[in-house]
Amino acid sequence: VRCARSSACPPDILKKLAISDDEAIRIAVAANPHTPSDTLWKMAKDDSVAVRQALASNPSLDPEVLGQLADDSGLLPMERVL
């Protein structure tokens, strides 16, 4: 999880961690502002609401992905706006 949270974690590692079976790792990747945008796009479809919530709080999130999350009925209203 430490690498997934780190700004020094290489993009190729973040891409691999994004498909981990460990939800905590995917949450950390989703919240990491250094995660590549194509990976964030894929994570917007993650089965885990917690991962999508972390993604909604990512300051580097593409506005189009944020728009997709705004329609996510699994997220709380405040998280949809972030």
Side-chain angles (χ1 to χ4, degrees):
V1 173
R2 191 176 320 155
C3 180
R5 290 183 182 152
S6 172
S7 62
C9 189
D12 59 322
I13 300 297
L14 288 168
K15 287 181 180 193
K16 290 177 184 175
L17 293 174
I19 57 171
S20 170
D21 289 335
D22 187 330
E23 181 183 56
I25 290 174
R26 294 194 323 274
I27 289 169
V29 172
N32 188 329
H34 299 283
T35 299
S37 61
D38 63 319
T39 301
L40 297 177
W41 266 104
K42 292 174 186 171
M43 297 188 84
K45 296 176 182 159
D46 196 286
D47 289 337
S48 167
V49 172
V51 170
R52 297 191 315 271
Q53 288 171 337
L55 186 61
S57 70
N58 186 319
S60 298
L61 191 63
D62 184 293
E64 290 182 38
V65 179
L66 189 57
Q68 180 179 339
L69 292 174
D71 295 331
D72 189 330
S73 62
L75 299 180
L76 299 172
M78 185 57 142
E79 291 157 339
R80 286 188 233 157
V81 178
L82 296 176

